[in-house]
Amino acid sequence: MADESRIGAGRSTRSLGWAIVMFLVLPITIVVPVSLTDQRYLSLPQDGLSLRHYLHLIQSAEWLSSIGQSFVIALGSMVISVGAGTLCAIGCWRIGTRWSETIRVLMLVPIIVPTIVYALGLYRLWVKLDLLDSYFGVMLAHGVTGIPYVVIIVSTSLASFDPRLEQAARNLGASVPYTLRRVILPSILPGVISGSIFAFIHSWDELVLVLFIASRSIFTLPRRIWDGINEHLDPTMAAVATALVLVTALLLVLDMRARRLRAE
Amino acid sequence: MSELRQSVVVDRMVKRYGRVAAVDDVTLQIDRGEFVTLLGPSGSGKTTILMAIAGFVQPTSGEILLDGRAITRQPPEHRNFGMVFQGYALFPHMTVFENVAFALRARGRPNQEVGRRVTEALDMVQLGPYAARMPRQLSGGQQQRVALARALVFTPHLLLLDEPLSALDKKLRAELQLELKALHERVGLTFLYVTHDQDEALSMSDRIAILRDGKLVQFGRPRELYERPATRFVADFLGKSNFLAGRAEGPDGATLAYSCGSLRLRQALDGPAPPPGSPVLIALRPEKIAVVADAVPDTANAVSGRIAQWSYSGTHFHLLVDTDAAGRMTATVPSWRCRIEPETGRLVHLGWDPDATVIVTDDGAPPPGAIQ
């Protein structure tokens, strides 16, 4: 009896696991065949495969401009997140008291607060600061909300950093900034790279904030897809989605390599 | 005048963490060019003192002086002290060359000078051919030498060493002890060495400071500490000792007569005798005991007992002897002089001279692992 129930539990656990994997992966795999459809509307291929929607994508000024905008914004917000997040993590690590622990938790607020609430607040503030519908406004919004990822990852790196290395550097006559540049940063570099990748991805596929604070001039890629779905069911979107998935997957592979570097 | 001879002075240093005093009113005067070891069990405060001298620990009170000048509040990077860390703390992302060059680059020395001095430093520790390697490609002993070269390349005022040999195996440790001592003689710097290993301390130091629970117990030359330990703790931490708890009876010529149980024993005196009737604690080194099988030895002190346990280490026999009068005693006999065949239960006589023992202050229970 006991044995049977244990096998049953194992089986149900395993099928639940597979169901979750399917749930996570299937929506991604569905866009690939759709993007290769030979039809004019969003559908699975019928008479054969075609690359016409990819061709349309690279010929369309609108899509290309959105890709360009998303890329520039993601880069800019990545710089903001990585700069602020790394400094915050290092500062908390150096001070190392209860207060710095509180600050580290406070830094996670952008993940904890629902994005829509955050977006509402940002919208009000951006109106006052005259940052609506500007590159800098979106970069700043994405940059700030990307900080938690960097703080978490860099803090993890710092936790395994031997504090004696800092003492050794100081003992050898290095000032605090010199130690930071030559010893601490190179040691936690894999963590910083990993954090950068996550900050980049965070901005690259962010939609809610953009819907609130952008109007005519800023049309990021997620926003273009959103509009496309609402207005016309152009299969180009599936091609874009495939491209998005590929870019993200590529970045995650890069991240795994950075982690392996850190493990060494 | 004496100011000129001193390199570093730790003056009435106290360091508290909350209510615990890690270092409790320690004063140390270290002479220029000396090799001084801070020796003590873990938690004795030795590393805290070293870290305060290096500038990583701020004393709660007291001062650190260098050449008579207070440096207590100077940041570590301005002190110009070399340091070899426990586990070496080599920069893992830099080559051996860049590790050694670090201090010179931080001081903004020109490239040509950096190259010359790093090469010299690496040659000094026989690691010239390894300059391009990464630290993780080196053995423990080689990493230790890199750490030494890195700490010496900028001609520091003194060299601090925090248990630098603790990660190495026994044979390598013995080799590097000799090398460190030779290096000390060659460079003529003041070395301040922290360890919990008494063999390291005895074999290398000019003077040893013995610490316990944050307090300085005794500070002196190795032989002085070994032959004339001031307290029970020192007698037991540095080497091993038998302890005889007795009662003073009065001076008898140049010796003190005392009783220990039913025994009447003698202790050589080099100071005033303790008043008759007062308790005395006598420390006796196991190797200063003569072991005889057939007759009671003609030494001034003798006690008989049966062998409870014995072991052989090649050079020595170690005997545990249960005596009626003085409890269990340990005797170490060089094998070539051991005329008896040790055997459990055998009756033996232990004898020693009045000047083989020393009166020590009883400062509480000996550390774990000591002989009773």
Side-chain angles (χ1 to χ4, degrees), chain A residues 191-236:
Chain A
V192 176
I193 292 173
S194 203
S196 314
I197 291 170
F198 273 88
F200 184 93
I201 295 175
H202 163 73
S203 165
W204 177 251
D205 61 10
E206 204 289 326
L207 174 66
V208 179
L209 290 172
V210 173
L211 285 181
F212 273 76
I213 62 176
S215 57
R216 295 227 179 98
S217 51
I218 301 296
F219 240 103
T220 62
L221 204 50
R223 192 171 165 220
R224 178 84 57 198
I225 297 174
W226 176 251
D227 269 32
I229 290 174
N230 284 338
E231 283 159 20
H232 44 87
L233 295 174
D234 180 357
T236 311

Side-chain angles (χ1 to χ4, degrees), chain A residues 164 167 170-172 182, chain B residues 56 77 81 86 93 107:
Chain A
R164 273 178 304 195
Q167 291 184 338
R170 300 282 304 280
N171 171 259
L172 292 167
R182 291 291 314 276
Chain B
F56 298 117
E77 61 265 33
F81 295 168
Q86 199 173 4
H93 58 285
R107 285 166 175 71

